[in-house]
Amino acid sequence: MPRFHGQSNHAPVDIVNQLQKQYVDYLSSLFHEGVLDDQFTQLQKLQDESNPDFTVEVATLFFVDSDKLINNMAAALERSPVDFKQVDADVHQLKGSSSSIGAMRVKNLCITFRSFCETQNYEGCLICLQQVKNECAVLKDKLQNLFRMEQQIVGAGGSVPLMD
Amino acid sequence: MDVGSAGSSSHDDPVLPLLPCRSSRGRRRRTLVRKFLLSDLSHFSPFPQMSSAAESQFHVLAVDDSLIDRKLIERLLKISSYQVTTVDSGSKALEFLGSRVNDDRSSSDSLPSVSPSDHQGVEVNLIITDYCMPGMTGYDLLKKIKESSSLRDIPVVIMSSENVPSRITRCLEEGAEEFILKPVRLADVNKLRPHMMRTKKLKGQEQEQELQEESVTHCEVRSQPPRQHELEIEQSQQDQSQQIQQHQQQKSGNNNKRKALDVEEGLSPDRTRSRYNGVATF
């Protein structure tokens, strides 16, 4: 920022505005694509000066939890005979936590996954497992982008816009 | 109703000398006094800090086996200015609530034994629990709470990710105040306050009712143990007070609720005197 000679850490207003606009566009696309739902906005509303990293913390917990659950499911599906009840219990848990953070696509995949567990459909379970794995990876990537953009805005002296 | 035999030392149950059967006018006056005190604790309580803390901050116990959901509910509750304790199972919840649940003798207690100073358990104004938990489900926990005389007045709210009408009905029938669908939102948490406030009022009313009932019971059968405030009698009636104190030591289980009475009613000697002046007949 060659024009910026001020004493504060604020970037010129137009830079902050630009970053904010990019952020809003990106977040909107996540809602539009169904990656996130309104619950994510609810999470963001719980963030404030006293808990500035709440959303990041919850998201981090989610990824640790989902990794563990996905590994459990994979292991259970590799055993013989397959314990579908155990797989279902893990999917149920993943469904709950994805719902809690607003990860809509992951949640919907879990719903399908559970029906395959109930009918003890091995192939269906394997396909769902792969899809859930992929979707969690995509979500992680996108949320990391989002949080990075938030950091850039804050670093430039601006505030993160809240979707409504 | 006759209380003439009050004060006879040969009785196992010393008669409650300070509560003859009252006229309804006396009852109304007491209700007024009690309502005034409950709303103005800071002026009358001998423990101003404790009562204002108890009055202004509700304490919620949140039970959920999911770490993410615990984090979420904790944040929702804290933002709503509640004090929060989270546990990850029904059994830990019962542990936190105190050993009263497993105490069979507690069923003879008619008041919830809650007091900020009670080291046996902590005062909890609301329990919010997930339904689906391994081991003890939220429903099992609800049942245990409602079966406990010391815990049953604590409002319980159930959360569930699944909208199963029969499940909802079952929980509400068992005594749950609300059934909230997950994910829980701020709007849901806002619905909780009335339940907590009602319980505080209810406790006040219960104490009032107990006093009334006791005055009637006392006239017929002197089986109820005397209450704490009866200890606070004038110097001139010390004989009777000693009898009562001895009796109370036998029934130590009631001490907790009397502490609660003290804290909540904020009894001062002046008040006691004005209540019982000229009433005792020995």
Side-chain angles (χ1 to χ4, degrees), chain A residues 38-39 42-43 46 48 50-51 54 57-58 61-62 92 97 99-100 114, chain B residues 65-69 71-72 75-76 79 132 161-162 182-186:
Chain A
D38 184 57
Q39 177 60 17
Q42 297 297 320
L43 277 190
L46 298 180
D48 61 19
S50 68
N51 275 66
F54 182 72
E57 285 167 8
V58 176
L61 280 178
F62 173 76
H92 173 76
S97 50
S99 162
S100 292
R114 282 197 85 187
Chain B
D65 61 317
S66 157
L67 178 56
I68 286 167
D69 287 346
K71 192 168 171 79
L72 193 55
R75 186 77 192 121
L76 284 167
I79 264 190
C132 279
S161 54
E162 285 161 331
K182 284 180 162 184
V184 183
R185 304 174 155 217
L186 216 47

Side-chain angles (χ1 to χ4, degrees), chain A residues 108-122:
Chain A
N108 289 338
L109 282 172
C110 287
I111 293 172
T112 311
F113 200 157
R114 282 197 85 187
S115 62
F116 285 132
C117 290
E118 273 163 45
T119 56
Q120 305 208 347
N121 185 328
Y122 181 69

Side-chain angles (χ1 to χ4, degrees), chain B residues 52-84:
Chain B
S52 59
E55 183 74 355
S56 63
Q57 265 235 309
F58 288 120
H59 182 190
V60 179
L61 175 65
V63 191
D64 201 316
D65 61 317
S66 157
L67 178 56
I68 286 167
D69 287 346
R70 278 202 304 282
K71 192 168 171 79
L72 193 55
I73 194 75
E74 181 189 48
R75 186 77 192 121
L76 284 167
L77 291 166
K78 280 194 168 150
I79 264 190
S80 311
S81 306
Y82 299 124
Q83 210 186 320
V84 190

Side-chain angles (χ1 to χ4, degrees), chain B residues 263-281:
Chain B
V263 171
E264 296 209 354
E265 293 191 352
L267 286 169
S268 66
D270 285 333
R271 178 180 173 264
T272 316
R273 253 178 246 124
S274 64
R275 180 195 278 202
Y276 300 116
N277 239 350
V279 157
T281 54

Side-chain angles (χ1 to χ4, degrees), chain B residues 190-207:
Chain B
N190 291 339
K191 285 194 279 180
L192 301 179
R193 193 171 288 265
H195 298 301
M196 289 184 251
M197 305 227 50
R198 198 172 8 124
T199 310
K200 284 223 164 179
K201 271 193 215 145
L202 193 71
K203 258 195 252 171
Q205 281 167 17
E206 261 186 11
Q207 288 158 12

